[in-house]
Amino acid sequence: MTSIEATPAEPYLPPGLPEPIPMPDGLDAPYWEGTRAHELRVQQCGSCGGFQWGPEWVCHQCLSFDLGWSVVPGSGRIYSWERSWYPVHPTLRDRVPYVVALVELPGAGDIRMVGNLLGDPLQEIVIGSTVEAVFEDHEETEPPYTLVHWRVVTEETD
Amino acid sequence: MGQDRRAAIVGFAEWAPQRKWPRPMFTLEAFARLTKEALDDAGMEPGEVDGILTTSPVPESRMFAPAAVAEYLGIPAAFAEIVDLGGASGAGMLWRAVAAVEAGACETAICVGSTTPPPPNPKRKSDPTRAYLGAEAWGAPHGQFDVPYGLINPNSHFAMVAQRYMHEYQLKPETLAKIAVQQRDNAQANPQSQFQGKPITVDDVLNSPLIVDPLHLLEIVMPSGGGVGLVVTTMERAKKLTRNRPVVLTGFGEQVTHKSITYAPSLTAVPIKAAADRAFKMAGVDRKDIQMASLYDCYTITVLLTIEDAGFCAKGEGERFVDEHDLRYNGDWPLNTNGGQLSLGQAGVAGGMYHITDALEQLMGRAGERQVAGCERAFVSGTGGFMSEQAALILEGA
C-alpha cells in the first residue's frame, strides 16, 4: 500500500475559494472526519458491497439504505484531467494554470473522485497514470478542514 | 373523420443574442414579451393560450413559477410546467408541449426561455462561484467536493470529457476547430448573429487563448442575453392559420443520467444515444433521412460526441465524419445553419432553443440565403449539465 504523504507546506490553491461545508444532516461527516485523520473513507453498501462517491442516502447500485463507510487505499489512476488557464474565481487570477484530476480508485470499486494534481501545473499528464493521495490540512477556518489531492507516483516515490 | 389532434408548431420569436444586453429585464417581463412576439408571428391571440412551459429558474418566483407567469401574462393555464434540464430545456419543453396538446391537456401552449440581466438588487451579496449549479445551497455536493479544487464551471468539465475522448479515440484539435469555423461561415449569412462580418479560420481557433486544455476560446460559446418563444397548437387550428408552414414533431427522446461528474457512467458515451434511438424509432425514419441537424454546441466536443452517439456515424468515427463532410448550409451535411450558439452566443438556458428555431427556419422555408433546398426533416439535440442530460427531436414540415 502506498504511503500517504504528510500535508504539503503550501496549499495547492491560494486561500479565498469557498471552503467545503459538510451537510448539516451528517451524511458526509465520516468522509470529512477521515480526511482530518489523513484517511480516505467512502461509502460501502452493507447489502451489495458496492462503493459509491459522492455520499448519498441510498445505494446507487441496489437502492438499499444500509450504507456504511470503509477506509480505502489512497491509490488511484488518472481517469481524466483538465488544466485551467482562465481564472474562474478572482482568487485564482495569479494561480492559473492549475490542474484538476478525476481519479478512479481500483481499491474502492473504481469510484471516481475530484482533486488537484500536485506538482508542476505544466507537467505532461497521461491518463491511466498511477497516483497517490496527499492530504492538505487547512487550519485557517473554523472548523478546520482537509482536502484530498493526488500526485503521480514515479519510481522514486514508489 | 374527427378533428386532427396532432400538434403543430405555428410560430416563433427569436431575440438576437447580445453579449451585453441593452437594459436590465426581469425574467417575467422577457417571458411576456417573447410570448406576445411569438403569438404575433403565428397570427394568434393571447386569449387562445392555455398552456405555459418555461425554462428554469424564474428568479422572481422561487416556487409556483408557472403560476406566476400565468398571472403576469393574464393567461389561465390548463397545463403549466417549468422545465429544468439545463441546455436541454428547450427541446424538453417542446416535446412536452406537443404531448400536452395531443393528449388534450390544452389547446395552445407557449414555450418560453430567456436569459437577461435583472435589475441589480443592492441588498444582496453573493459569491458567484457558489451560485454555479446551485452550489450556494447549503451543503450542495459541488460546494464540498468540486469547488474547493477549482472545478467550478462547465469549461472544466467539458475539458475532461475532451481529454478522455482524445485518450480513447482518435481526435485532433484541427477537426474540432473545423466545426467552429464552418458554423461561423453559416453565421455570416445570418443577420441575427452578432458575429456576422467576423469569419474565422482553423488557425484562428487554435491560436485563440487556451481556456482549459484542450479547449480554445473560439470553440467555446460566449454567454449572451437573448430569448425565444414557440407556439404549439392543434393541427386543426394550424390549418386555419396562414403565416407559417406548420411543423410537426414526429419523434422525440430524452435521457438524464447524472449531475455530478463523479457519477458520470462514462465521459465518452453520452445520453443522446438513448434519446436519439427513441426519437428515430418513434418517427420511423433512419439517420440518412435527416436533411439538416441543429446540435447543441456549447463546445465543439459537444457537437462531435453528439454526431457520434446520435448515430450519424459509428462510435469513434467522429473525427473522420467531420473531416469528410461539409457542414455549411450549402454543404453535404448542413449543421447549425444559423451559426449555432458558437456563432450566435449562448443565451443561458434559452440557448438550446436557438437550435429549434434553426430547424424551424429551414422547415418553414424562412432561412433566406441559408435555406437548405427541399428541407423536410430536421434533427435537433438539447444538452444540459455536462452532457448529463440530453434530448433529441425529429421535426418535419407538415
Side-chain angles (χ1 to χ4, degrees), chain A residues 18 21-24 28 32 53-54 56 60 79-83 85-86 88-89 98 100 112 116 127 148-149, chain B residues 127 129-130 138-139 143-145 147-153 156 160 163-164 167 210-213 262-264:
Chain A
I21 304 176
M23 286 209 197
D28 40 58
W32 292 110
W53 181 255
E56 297 183 351
H60 216 71
Y79 187 79
S80 193
W81 61 278
E82 53 95 346
R83 181 184 289 121
W85 290 87
Y86 186 79
V88 293
H89 192 281
Y98 62 90
V100 179
R112 299 184 203 133
N116 291 123
I127 286 177
V148 181
H149 293 317
Chain B
D127 181 342
T129 45
R130 270 219 211 282
W138 181 240
Q144 296 184 66
F145 307 120
V147 169
Y149 302 102
L151 182 69
I152 290 169
N153 68 3
S156 302
M160 286 208 189
Q163 292 291 4
R164 184 74 198 181
H167 170 77
L210 198 55
I211 302 299
V212 188
D213 257 301
T262 57
Y263 275 114

Side-chain angles (χ1 to χ4, degrees), chain B residues 23-273:
Chain B
R23 67 168 175 89
M25 188 185 277
F26 279 119
T27 307
L28 287 174
E29 179 192 351
F31 283 174
R33 289 182 184 279
L34 286 165
T35 297
K36 179 74 170 71
E37 288 178 34
L39 288 167
D40 284 348
D41 182 74
M44 295 179 76
E45 295 296 321
E48 291 191 71
V49 174
D50 59 353
I52 298 173
L53 298 93
T54 77
T55 53
S56 167
V58 180
E60 299 88 37
S61 178
R62 293 177 62 85
M63 286 175 68
F64 306 114
V69 175
E71 182 181 280
Y72 198 94
L73 296 174
I75 298 173
F79 176 72
E81 180 155 354
I82 197 168
V83 176
D84 184 10
L85 296 169
S89 299
M93 279 195 290
L94 183 53
W95 81 254
R96 283 166 175 74
V98 164
V101 168
E102 292 185 352
C106 63
E107 292 294 308
T108 299
I110 292 285
C111 305
V112 278
S114 67
T115 292
T116 54
N121 181 346
K123 291 205 180 88
R124 216 165 121 226
K125 270 191 333 168
S126 60
D127 181 342
T129 45
R130 270 219 211 282
Y132 184 69
L133 286 183
E136 84 279 16
W138 181 240
H142 298 282
Q144 296 184 66
F145 307 120
D146 295 354
V147 169
Y149 302 102
L151 182 69
I152 290 169
N153 68 3
N155 294 340
S156 302
H157 292 82
F158 277 89
M160 286 208 189
V161 167
Q163 292 291 4
R164 184 74 198 181
Y165 186 94
M166 288 170 162
H167 170 77
E168 292 185 16
Y169 303 104
Q170 185 67 27
L171 179 59
K172 57 189 182 304
E174 290 79 3
T175 300
L176 286 178
K178 177 183 174 181
I179 294 171
V181 168
Q182 295 209 309
Q183 290 189 200
R184 181 62 64 93
D185 288 342
N186 290 339
Q188 299 316 301
N190 186 2
Q192 291 281 77
S193 168
Q194 55 188 311
F195 294 103
Q196 204 179 23
K198 299 177 184 161
I200 55 179
T201 64
V202 167
D203 281 342
D204 288 336
V205 176
L206 299 181
N207 291 330
S208 65
L210 198 55
I211 302 299
V212 188
D213 257 301
L215 304 174
H216 302 84
L217 180 67
L218 287 178
E219 52 187 328
I220 299 176
V221 283
M222 184 172 80
S224 300
V228 171
L230 307 171
V231 184
V232 179
T233 189
T234 61
M235 188 59 82
E236 199 62 32
R237 183 77 183 90
K239 284 173 185 162
K240 301 184 180 107
L241 297 170
T242 56
R243 303 293 174 84
N244 297 303
R245 179 190 195 192
V247 170
V248 295
L249 183 71
T250 53
F252 65 85
E254 186 173 293
Q255 184 86 339
V256 181
T257 54
H258 63 279
K259 184 179 170 191
S260 305
I261 200 166
T262 57
Y263 275 114
S266 161
L267 291 186
T268 54
V270 294
I272 196 71
K273 178 170 187 348

